[in-house]
Amino acid sequence: MRFSGDPTVFGNLPLDATCEEAVVESLHNRKYNGYCPSVGIKEARQAVADYVSTPTSQVEAEDVILTSGCSHGLEMLISCLADPGQNILLPRPGFSLYKTIAVSLGIRVKFYDLLPERSWEIDLQQLESLIDDSTAAIVVCNPSNPCGSVFSEEHMRDILTTVARHSLPLIADEIYEHFVFSGFKYHSFASLSEDVPILASGGLTKRFLIPGWRMGWIVVNDRHDALSEVRIGLQKLSTRILGPNTLVQGALPRILRDTPDSFYRQTIDYIEENAQEFYRTFRELPGLHPVMPQGAMYMMVGIDMDSYPEFHSDVDFTERLVTEESVFCLPATCFEYPNFFRVVLTVPKEKVTEACQRMRNFCEHHFQPTTVRNGNGCAIQAGIALNGSYSAEELQTVPGK
Ligand SMILES: Cc1ncc(COP(=O)(O)O)c(C=O)c1O
């Protein structure tokens, strides 16, 4: 039972018919078989501009560069903004691609912490302490992979105030834009700032459930002409691989304009129900501390390692879980955050129920009660993050929690 970040794996979350029809139309049109401008065709760029613009952040086609998935956008942004020897600030836990790209380019990385006890908000004081003269940009991811968190407007404004103090550009990974559970609201970073230059990267991958179509974009939200040189740099970088395939560019305006809201809602409701089932189960399992997500497709679960003395690490724990129960979860060491694992929420409901049962077997089999667990800090750290499940004091007294 493999829980991968690709929502198409099990076939339970089909794409909307609009996407298929738009590509068929684009194919039959015969206008989209050739090369196109390296930054993308004008109509498709304008469609993205219309899609991401808000009353407080208006962009036009010339502010958009189409990319081969969001990964390509991130690669272009990091290459363009930082020189070898400079540093960029990355979230911890965070999507591992940021580090992979930066390190391969000789760019140094520094990690700022996300706080589980505050639903994975950024520790802004610690972030600010990392900024130095060689800092070139700050990367933020909202909604988050791997945390499933969605920042509140207030927290986003605090982030932007902090970034503005240092006149740095923000790289906003918004590939999970609008992917928020009921009761939460999505804001783009660009919609909340008039001063911070924001380079947002998004795409069709997650919200439209078509990662294989490799359609992403960069949106340049310039402020006070701070990004004129960056625009030139991005334009030059786009010529290296000539962006995403033309056929999907031809389909993009229709996809973005006509996909019905009911499709988005159905997908999110499905994932939220899975999140609730996993959360209910993990809360009951001894030595596990789930942090209820607010959006995206993931949940992080803390492991009280003192309660599982057989295992040396989250890697060890998840390896044994897959060996004994065939349930694969990613150890959060992959996200620079040991003693947690990440669960993917897009799997079919019957597999969620089965996985919950197998994880129950696994935990009940390996758990060893201890009276006071504060050895690695995980239990206490995760416990206060549980949106009302256990306080730090309770964690010390409730057997198995
Ligand atoms: C946070 C985040 N950013 C970027 C990507 C890459 O997206 P794409 O497949 O469009 O390149 C992913 C994919 O899982 C992701 O989780």
Side-chain angles (χ1 to χ4, degrees):
M1 215 175 276
R2 200 176 169 79
F3 286 31
S4 116
D6 181 348
T8 70
V9 169
F10 295 102
N12 57 321
L13 289 172
L15 75 175
D16 189 67
T18 313
C19 298
E20 282 171 334
E21 287 159 13
V23 169
V24 170
E25 186 186 329
S26 175
L27 180 69
H28 288 161
N29 199 311
R30 297 195 174 171
K31 261 173 47 189
Y32 303 111
N33 293 328
Y35 288 120
C36 68
S38 62
V39 287
I41 58 179
K42 181 94 189 253
E43 300 77 21
R45 294 166 73 201
Q46 186 59 51
V48 173
D50 295 341
Y51 175 72
V52 299
S53 283
T54 71
T56 51
S57 58
Q58 297 284 328
V59 284
E60 293 298 332
E62 51 269 28
D63 302 310
V64 175
I65 296 171
L66 300 183
T67 58
S68 178
C70 179
S71 318
H72 179 210
L74 293 167
E75 194 260 346
M76 282 171 65
L77 288 172
I78 294 172
S79 319
C80 187
L81 287 171
D83 288 327
Q86 287 191 296
N87 65 71
I88 58 170
L89 270 46
L90 305 180
R92 175 173 58 201
F95 185 50
S96 51
L97 185 69
Y98 312 135
K99 180 179 169 188
T100 307
I101 294 170
V103 168
S104 71
L105 294 165
I107 297 161
R108 290 175 46 233
V109 297
K110 293 184 175 187
F111 292 102
Y112 63 82
D113 289 326
L114 305 179
L115 302 170
E117 66 275 22
R118 296 217 315 248
S119 298
W120 303 107
E121 284 189 349
I122 298 176
D123 181 343
L124 285 172
Q125 235 183 335
Q126 185 250 357
L127 176 144
E128 209 162 6
S129 74
L130 299 174
I131 298 173
D132 62 24
D133 291 345
S134 301
T135 303
I138 299 174
V139 179
V140 284
C141 180
N142 181 60
S144 159
N145 177 11
C147 302
S149 51
V150 178
F151 292 148
S152 67
E153 178 179 340
E154 193 189 357
H155 184 55
M156 291 174 80
R157 288 192 187 279
D158 289 345
I159 297 169
L160 288 161
T161 306
T162 306
V163 176
R165 260 202 296 277
H166 298 272
S167 305
L168 285 168
L170 197 67
I171 298 178
D173 182 344
E174 294 180 340
I175 191 67
Y176 296 95
E177 55 168 4
H178 300 289
F179 222 108
V180 300
F181 297 164
S182 45
F184 295 94
K185 192 161 165 36
Y186 170 76
H187 301 277
S188 66
F189 271 98
S191 69
L192 299 178
S193 171
E194 289 170 10
D195 288 318
V196 177
I198 295 167
L199 295 136
S201 188
L204 295 184
T205 299
K206 303 295 176 178
R207 194 178 188 206
F208 295 82
L209 303 170
I210 39 180
W213 291 22
R214 310 308 301 138
M215 173 54 74
W217 52 74
I218 291 170
V219 180
V220 180
N221 298 275
D222 201 356
R223 308 288 190 247
H224 316 298
D225 286 330
L227 297 176
S228 348
E229 285 185 31
V230 171
R231 278 182 199 275
I232 298 169
L234 290 172
Q235 198 278 327
K236 288 187 175 159
L237 283 171
S238 75
T239 61
R240 290 196 304 184
I241 70 158
L242 302 182
N245 79 76
T246 322
L247 207 57
V248 183
Q249 293 191 39
L252 196 54
R254 186 164 166 195
I255 293 174
L256 294 179
R257 195 186 53 232
D258 294 348
T259 303
D261 282 348
S262 54
F263 164 75
Y264 305 130
R265 201 62 260 160
Q266 264 168 20
T267 311
I268 291 169
D269 287 350
Y270 187 97
I271 290 171
E272 185 172 356
E273 275 171 34
N274 281 354
Q276 281 161 352
E277 179 163 0
F278 274 128
Y279 183 69
R280 270 195 305 274
T281 304
F282 293 148
R283 270 189 64 167
E284 287 168 7
L285 295 188
L288 292 193
H289 304 288
V291 184
M292 182 62 191
Q294 301 154 328
M297 303 175 163
Y298 314 97
M299 177 188 293
M300 286 279 273
V301 183
I303 315 164
D304 180 356
M305 295 306 299
D306 289 349
S307 300
Y308 291 94
E310 276 174 81
F311 308 126
H312 301 299
S313 64
D314 53 324
V315 179
D316 219 8
F317 182 96
T318 50
E319 267 176 14
R320 284 287 288 282
L321 179 63
V322 76
T323 309
E324 292 179 16
E325 298 288 347
S326 298
V327 175
F328 178 78
C329 300
L330 216 52
T333 289
C334 302
F335 308 109
E336 308 283 337
Y337 209 75
N339 301 338
F340 274 73
F341 61 85
R342 187 197 72 174
V343 177
V344 172
L345 305 172
T346 51
V347 282
K349 300 227 170 299
E350 64 280 7
K351 289 204 188 294
V352 173
T353 306
E354 177 68 28
C356 284
Q357 187 49 49
R358 292 186 192 190
M359 290 180 79
R360 189 180 295 279
N361 297 343
F362 182 81
C363 290
E364 285 172 359
H365 182 67
H366 293 286
F367 172 74
Q368 292 193 17
T370 57
T371 40
V372 177
R373 269 177 295 288
N374 58 6
N376 58 21
C378 168
I380 290 173
Q381 186 191 17
I384 24 187
L386 302 182
N387 298 336
S389 80
Y390 287 95
S391 69
E393 292 72 33
E394 283 171 318
L395 279 163
Q396 306 235 358
T397 51
V398 178
K401 269 290 169 195

